[in-house]
Amino acid sequence: MTARIIDGKALATDIRNGLVARVAALNAAGHRPGLAVILVGDDPASAVYVRNKGLACEQVGIASWIDRLPGDVAEVALLARIGQLNADPDVHGILVQTPLPKHLASARILESIAFEKDVDGLHATNAGLTLMGTPYFRSCTPYGVMKMLESINATVAGRHAVVLGRSNMVGKPMAMLLLAANATVTIAHSKTRDLDSHTRAADILVAAVGRRNLVTQDMVKPDSIVIDVGTNRSPEGKLTGDVDFENVKTVAGWISPVPGGVGPMTIAMLLTNTVEAAERRAEIETH
Ligand code: NAP
């Protein structure tokens, strides 16, 4: 058996195409969705992510601004900049690219973004609303994974979903969205004992760890759905996920590749959240 592929790239393209019409409708009513991205320092990977987000915005008609701040920027200056963006009516979404330099308190900075503009879905209010099952903005990567499950008409309700990783950005919100969709959810992490026994029981397995080949063929339940969030580099510099794709695909029913899986979906959902923020703002202004 060979698993069917969940093509995140194609699905992301569909989602982005769908946004073009929503942006056109906003434009026709005199609104242009806008995303402000703050990049602190000169980390090359972060610079690439930010550039890609800007290009993606451009393709669907979202205005984007990249604020490049020096790596030694004072926290008070960064907070002041976020304050200006919070107050700017042309800015519907604000994203601070992580990781931030060590002298900056990431949590304090994320909390300083108005939650109505937190299109990354990482503000405590958005995390809390997701926890309560009434999300306002969903964290982009887990949101993208849910869309991938939807795209293959996966039955989530009543299924056993296992999430590897418990970060605030991916693992925890992922588990909450699966729970809201009525899965029975297990969250595994670095202290989990006998990881294989958990993964082998998973109808839906989401790997969000950041360790190449962590998930091997023998760890996967036959015919299950395997979604690979991880992004790692092989010794040859090739982008890989957390899942041993070539071998796991002989067991799983569905599998998402890296690259071309979750990555493009994360950006598509960031754009979706930004358009939604602009639609909400337009709605408020017209009433
Ligand atoms: P993170 O904050 O480093 O969290 C990693 C999680 O994995 C932690 O909860 C950690 O457990 C857990 N873990 C570590 N070793 C483990 C093991 N052997 N077994 C089970 N769990 C283990 O990373 P993240 O931000 O969640 O990202 C995870 C991965 O997804 C990374 O590769 C990242 O690059 C990738 N990512 C991709 C996208 C995308 O768009 N494709 C978006 C976001 C992230 P503890 O909590 O116990 O330390």
Side-chain angles (χ1 to χ4, degrees):
M1 191 181 78
T2 300
R4 280 175 286 178
I5 305 295
I6 309 175
D7 186 343
K9 196 171 170 201
L11 180 58
T13 301
D14 287 349
I15 289 172
R16 283 157 66 153
N17 289 341
L19 291 175
V20 172
R22 287 168 65 181
V23 172
L26 280 164
N27 287 342
H31 306 280
R32 176 139 200 237
L35 174 70
V37 181
I38 298 181
L39 174 63
V40 181
D42 49 15
D43 174 57
S46 292
V48 171
Y49 291 138
V50 165
R51 194 168 56 241
N52 289 343
K53 286 169 187 170
L55 287 172
C57 281
E58 212 175 282
Q59 284 164 7
V60 299
I62 297 174
S64 70
W65 306 271
I66 301 176
D67 260 15
R68 291 186 173 78
L69 301 178
D72 61 354
V73 66
E75 189 168 306
V76 64
L78 177 53
L79 292 172
R81 182 65 193 128
I82 292 171
Q84 286 170 347
L85 296 170
N86 281 340
D88 186 338
D90 291 336
V91 173
H92 301 97
I94 303 170
L95 182 160
V96 178
Q97 184 66 43
T98 54
L100 286 167
K102 292 223 170 356
H103 72 282
L104 299 169
S106 295
R108 199 156 46 224
I109 284 152
L110 289 178
E111 293 319 305
S112 75
I113 299 172
F115 84 91
E116 301 93 336
K117 296 192 177 190
D118 167 44
V119 287
D120 243 353
L122 301 178
H123 190 285
T125 298
N126 283 319
L129 288 169
T130 298
L131 176 80
M132 292 170 80
T134 53
Y136 186 78
F137 285 124
R138 296 160 182 85
S139 179
C140 300
T141 301
Y143 190 12
V145 172
M146 294 309 290
K147 287 284 172 195
M148 291 166 91
L149 291 171
E150 211 178 287
S151 76
I152 60 166
N153 294 318
T155 302
V156 177
R159 296 292 162 90
H160 188 182
V162 176
V163 179
L164 306 185
R166 57 173 166 179
S167 69
N168 291 336
M169 191 194 291
V170 188
K172 284 181 201 161
M174 184 75 253
M176 289 307 119
L177 294 182
L178 287 162
L179 185 63
N182 293 319
T184 301
V185 183
T186 299
I187 307 174
H189 46 79
S190 68
K191 307 291 185 291
T192 298
R193 292 189 190 162
D194 194 10
L195 188 66
D196 305 26
S197 69
H198 296 288
T199 59
R200 271 198 293 271
D203 301 306
I204 299 167
L205 178 63
V206 181
V209 170
R211 190 178 287 199
R212 196 165 73 93
N213 291 340
L214 174 75
V215 177
T216 51
Q217 188 184 27
D218 54 312
M219 292 169 71
V220 170
K221 181 176 176 176
D223 214 24
S224 60
I225 300 169
V226 178
I227 302 212
D228 193 351
V229 177
T231 49
N232 311 289
R233 291 274 166 200
S234 72
E236 304 78 42
K238 200 173 148 240
L239 184 65
T240 67
D242 290 345
V243 176
D244 174 7
F245 181 83
E246 287 307 322
N247 292 310
V248 169
K249 79 173 186 206
T250 65
V251 180
W254 287 95
I255 189 167
S256 75
V258 177
V262 174
M265 289 300 294
T266 297
I267 294 190
M269 301 331 290
L270 171 69
L271 303 179
T272 301
N273 280 348
T274 304
V275 171
E276 197 158 321
E279 287 170 344
R280 286 172 179 157
R281 185 73 226 154
E283 178 82 16
I284 290 166
E285 283 175 16
T286 48
H287 287 102

